[in-house]
Amino acid sequence: MVATKSGIKYGANAGFVTARRELKQRPSDRKGSAHSKHNTFVKDLIREVAGFAPYERRIMELLKNSRDKRARKLGKKRLGTLRRSKKKVDELSNILAAARRH
């Protein structure tokens, strides 16, 4: 979170004091997250039918062997950004944890 501006030119909170604008939510802000039961159902159904991609299976294998950093690096190479990779690794580790519970 950004600290409030102090109105002073120098220092930790330097900058002119301005009022924050309330922007309406854009469709791109919602994209990718499961907002409805239907979307969640469809994603689960596709996962059940199609299974995992080869890179996802490799990441899961790395996670089983406690190679978390290597899994993130592989995900970054395949998905493009570290943020996407972390999200994918987290998702796959949750799937592995659920499989261990049952």
Side-chain angles (χ1 to χ4, degrees):
M1 176 150 174
V2 180
T4 57
K5 304 287 183 163
S6 63
I8 300 171
K9 189 172 183 178
Y10 301 105
N13 303 326
F16 188 76
V17 179
T18 57
R20 296 289 294 168
R21 293 171 52 211
E22 286 298 322
L23 301 174
K24 67 179 183 179
Q25 195 177 36
R26 304 172 105 170
S28 62
D29 294 340
R30 291 190 309 268
K31 187 161 177 58
S33 59
H35 273 280
S36 67
K37 289 180 187 175
H38 178 72
N39 285 0
T40 308
F41 170 74
V42 170
K43 284 179 91 171
D44 290 343
L45 183 66
I46 289 170
R47 174 66 78 199
E48 192 176 317
V49 171
F52 296 99
Y55 83 94
E56 290 175 330
R57 286 196 295 268
R58 187 169 165 201
I59 288 174
M60 289 169 77
E61 195 62 39
L62 288 168
L63 289 171
K64 285 178 191 172
N65 297 327
S66 302
R67 302 282 307 272
D68 296 17
K69 185 173 182 179
R70 174 60 60 190
R72 284 195 299 274
K73 286 177 86 170
L74 174 66
K76 183 175 182 284
K77 186 172 169 61
R78 295 286 189 254
L79 297 170
T81 67
L82 188 62
R83 177 180 247 176
R84 289 176 186 165
S85 174
K86 285 179 179 177
K87 187 174 178 186
K88 178 64 76 174
V89 167
D90 190 44
E91 176 188 328
L92 293 174
S93 61
N94 287 341
I95 289 170
L96 284 173
R100 277 197 298 268
R101 273 186 249 125
H102 289 94

